[in-house]
Amino acid sequence: MDRIIKGIMKYRNCHREGMVKQFQQVRDHPEPKAVFFTCMDSRMIPTRFTETNVGDMFVVRNAGNVIPHSQHFVDELTMCEPAALELGCVVNDIRHIIVCGHSDCKAMNLLYALRDEEFASKLLGEQEDIAVESVVVRTRQ
């Protein structure tokens, strides 16, 4: 955590002024060219490997760069993926959608492993135990 805080302080002291200038340039007239969906894995740094800058694209990160089909979440009002698509494609007229996965994705590995019913039931049982323990801890506090 100390490294992260030092990084924030370094940014504020060394890079913030330049970034604020970039933010001001695109503030009133952003022209992103793509909506970029990628994994939340810390190894994924989309602006670095696409060599893009502030305002070049909308980036949406989640576990496994999953974009669920909207028909499966008709009553769900808080999904960020459909909101990102609407903001990008409808409001900003973006024509390019990029879904970027990566090797050894833990989220995709887990989904694949869940095909095994024994593993899935064991995992779900562990999750229920964790949830029960969590409730007990919260009620004791």
Side-chain angles (χ1 to χ4, degrees):
M1 192 63 193
D2 189 49
R3 182 176 175 206
I4 293 171
I5 292 170
K6 285 179 181 177
I8 292 168
M9 298 310 294
K10 181 179 179 183
Y11 163 80
R12 292 181 61 94
N13 293 326
C14 300
H15 305 290
R16 184 176 184 271
E17 187 176 324
M19 291 296 291
V20 168
K21 288 178 184 175
Q22 288 183 16
F23 295 147
Q24 289 170 337
Q25 289 174 349
V26 299
R27 174 183 54 207
D28 297 325
H29 302 289
E31 295 183 11
K33 303 298 182 219
V35 179
F36 193 97
F37 290 92
T38 192
C39 188
M40 61 187 264
D41 189 299
S42 61
R43 298 171 291 175
M44 298 296 291
I45 308 171
T47 55
R48 186 173 294 168
F49 61 76
T50 59
E51 296 186 7
T52 54
N53 291 309
V54 172
D56 289 345
M57 62 184 178
F58 290 141
V59 178
V60 180
R61 298 177 70 148
N62 63 29
N65 52 271
V66 175
I67 306 173
H69 194 290
S70 62
Q71 289 180 349
H72 298 294
F73 298 94
V74 175
D75 297 330
E76 190 67 45
L77 301 175
T78 57
M79 301 289 292
C80 69
E81 294 83 4
L85 288 170
E86 185 167 346
L87 178 63
C89 300
V90 176
V91 175
N92 287 286
D93 200 32
I94 292 174
R95 298 285 176 223
H96 302 284
I97 308 300
I98 301 165
V99 180
C100 180
H102 64 97
S103 60
D104 194 32
C105 178
K106 303 304 183 221
M108 291 296 107
N109 291 347
L110 177 60
L111 281 178
Y112 185 79
L114 287 174
R115 296 180 332 148
D116 177 3
E117 289 182 29
E118 185 177 330
F119 174 79
S121 63
K122 177 184 173 194
L123 182 68
L124 292 174
E126 289 174 5
Q127 294 300 319
E128 289 173 6
D129 292 343
I130 291 169
V132 169
E133 289 174 17
S134 176
V135 169
V136 170
V137 169
R138 286 187 190 143
T139 56
R140 288 184 186 161
Q141 293 175 348

